[in-house]
Amino acid sequence: MVRAAMSKEGRRPDPESDSDHRAFTNAAWSIPGYLLSGMAVYGGLGWLLDRWLGTSALLPIGVLVGLALALYLVYHRYGR
Amino acid sequence: MIARQLLAAEGGNEFQAPGTEIFDWGPLWDGAPSWLTKPTLIVALSVIIVCGFFWAAFSKPKLVPRGVQNIGEVGYLFVRDQVARPMIGKDGDKWMPFLLSTFFFILVMNLMGVIPVLQLPAPSHIAFAIVPAAVVYVLMVFLSIKHQGLGGWFKNMMFPPGLPAWLYIILAPIELLSTVILRPFTHAVRLFANMFAGHLLIAFFASVGYWFLIEKLTPLGSGLGVLGFVMSVVMTGFEIFVQALQAFIFTLLAASYIGGALHPDH
């Protein structure tokens, strides 16, 4: 990220690019939270549906879907 | 501690690895108030050490720093340039009193794990990790509502711009859970689990060394005992590194949460 900012503007990073550094650190530390959260929300939903419908496949499906959604969210927030 | 533990297990002839009981400390002496335990003593001692250190460093500051003031200034500059300014930005200096005391308080509490006789990192009891994390969490909620408004906070948190509307319904619960509920949890557990595991590892290797070299010395077991002693020294060095790193990360995340509350657009 810092390198991209440097090549774009052709100069060394100044205090302004601190926000790049911050974005990077924030991303690095919020990814586990997002992944956990995605698995918990949609895994939990799958678990509830499993109990309601008497099935057993929706919990693992929900966990995977939640994981995928969380990865997408991380990509959208920090990846571009 | 370990000796006592092994004496308790003396009935058996087999080595017993230390378990969670090495974290259980009753009142300091018979008849002491039930809250006055080794962990609370260590926390109180940490407060006194941190206050005393900064009092010694900055009560009579000189233009050309010497001795304790020098160390204090290095610590201050480290937290300011590595934590406050990168994470919060130009107004980061305003948060230095909070961040500096958080960093040093947690650092000293952690380092108590390798101080002889004391040898217990206070945050290996999860309560002493929860309280600082809860302080940061309340501060984050307060600042977010103050600077973004209650509606604005949830809007910035749950609806990052540039997504199709139907995706928001799917993604907003993930954002909400991760920021409002999981964040203080991971913040506290990261510190607690590192201190807990580190203390257990050192205790394990030290008791291996004690058992096979002193308690039950046999030609076959002595190699294992030597390995245990060597590893407990190595792990102690590694723990000093982890203890400093975790204090840094805890402060870094606190600053990151404060910065996110103040400038949600970044």
Side-chain angles (χ1 to χ4, degrees):
Chain A
M1 247 173 241
V2 173
R3 188 171 296 163
M6 279 171 70
S7 63
K8 205 184 298 168
E9 298 166 36
R11 57 185 167 79
R12 292 192 67 243
D14 57 349
E16 294 298 318
S17 71
D18 271 356
S19 63
D20 270 347
H21 179 69
R22 214 188 93 198
F24 180 75
T25 314
N26 279 347
W29 290 108
S30 26
I31 288 170
Y34 277 130
L35 298 185
L36 266 180
S37 170
M39 289 192 281
V41 169
Y42 287 97
L45 200 63
W47 181 74
L48 285 176
L49 283 174
D50 269 343
R51 278 177 60 114
W52 183 44
L53 300 172
T55 53
S56 60
L58 291 173
L59 166 64
I61 292 174
V63 168
L64 289 178
V65 168
L67 199 59
L69 287 170
L71 281 173
Y72 176 74
L73 195 60
V74 168
Y75 170 74
H76 178 79
R77 279 239 153 165
Y78 305 108
R80 299 163 312 147
Chain B
M1 167 191 75
I2 289 141
R4 199 178 69 184
Q5 161 127 4
L6 288 169
L7 283 178
E10 210 177 18
N13 240 350
E14 280 178 24
F15 171 71
Q16 279 194 317
T20 48
E21 71 279 357
I22 60 170
F23 296 94
D24 290 339
W25 296 88
L28 281 178
W29 63 89
D30 281 341
S34 61
W35 52 265
L36 189 58
T37 58
K38 185 170 162 177
T40 54
L41 182 75
I42 283 172
V43 172
L45 209 58
S46 306
V47 172
I48 294 169
I49 289 172
V50 172
C51 292
F53 172 73
F54 283 112
W55 182 262
F58 296 131
S59 64
K60 294 190 199 73
K62 306 220 165 36
L63 204 56
V64 180
R66 296 182 60 216
V68 190
Q69 192 189 344
N70 236 335
I71 306 170
E73 288 194 2
V74 168
Y76 182 90
L77 288 178
F78 172 74
V79 176
R80 192 190 71 184
D81 294 340
Q82 303 299 321
V83 177
R85 287 187 178 172
M87 288 296 117
I88 303 180
K90 290 192 176 66
D91 44 354
D93 290 19
K94 233 173 53 182
W95 291 96
M96 274 307 291
F98 176 68
L99 294 174
L100 188 72
S101 19
T102 303
F103 176 70
F104 274 91
F105 178 47
I106 300 211
L107 180 69
V108 172
M109 279 204 298
N110 288 353
L111 285 176
M112 290 299 185
V114 293
I115 306 286
V117 182
L118 294 171
Q119 275 168 327
L120 182 77
S124 65
H125 278 257
I126 196 165
F128 298 118
I130 287 177
V131 172
V135 169
V136 172
Y137 179 70
V138 169
L139 189 63
M140 178 193 83
V141 172
F142 172 76
L143 287 173
S144 299
I145 294 173
K146 187 179 164 199
H147 286 263
Q148 305 169 43
L150 186 61
W153 179 39
F154 279 98
K155 186 174 155 293
N156 288 329
M157 178 206 317
M158 291 164 66
F159 306 108
L163 283 174
W166 60 272
L167 257 182
Y168 282 134
I169 305 167
I170 301 175
L171 294 180
I174 302 183
E175 293 267 12
L176 185 70
L177 187 69
S178 105
T179 309
V180 178
I181 295 165
L182 286 180
R183 197 177 254 190
F185 178 76
T186 52
H187 198 195
V189 166
R190 186 175 288 118
L191 175 63
F192 153 73
N194 273 285
M195 292 307 109
F196 180 84
H199 185 60
L200 206 54
L201 267 178
I202 294 181
F204 172 75
F205 285 118
S207 56
V208 166
Y210 184 81
W211 180 265
F212 286 102
L213 279 186
I214 295 165
E215 196 81 11
K216 302 277 175 200
L217 184 61
T218 55
L220 261 177
S222 61
L224 208 56
V226 170
L227 185 73
F229 266 123
V230 170
M231 279 307 289
S232 63
V233 173
V234 171
M235 288 313 295
T236 301
F238 180 64
E239 268 313 294
I240 295 174
F241 166 71
V242 172
Q243 284 157 352
L245 187 71
Q246 287 305 320
F248 172 66
I249 287 171
F250 191 93
T251 318
L252 190 79
L253 285 173
S256 156
Y257 298 160
I258 293 171
L262 297 177
H263 319 287
D265 43 325
H266 287 291

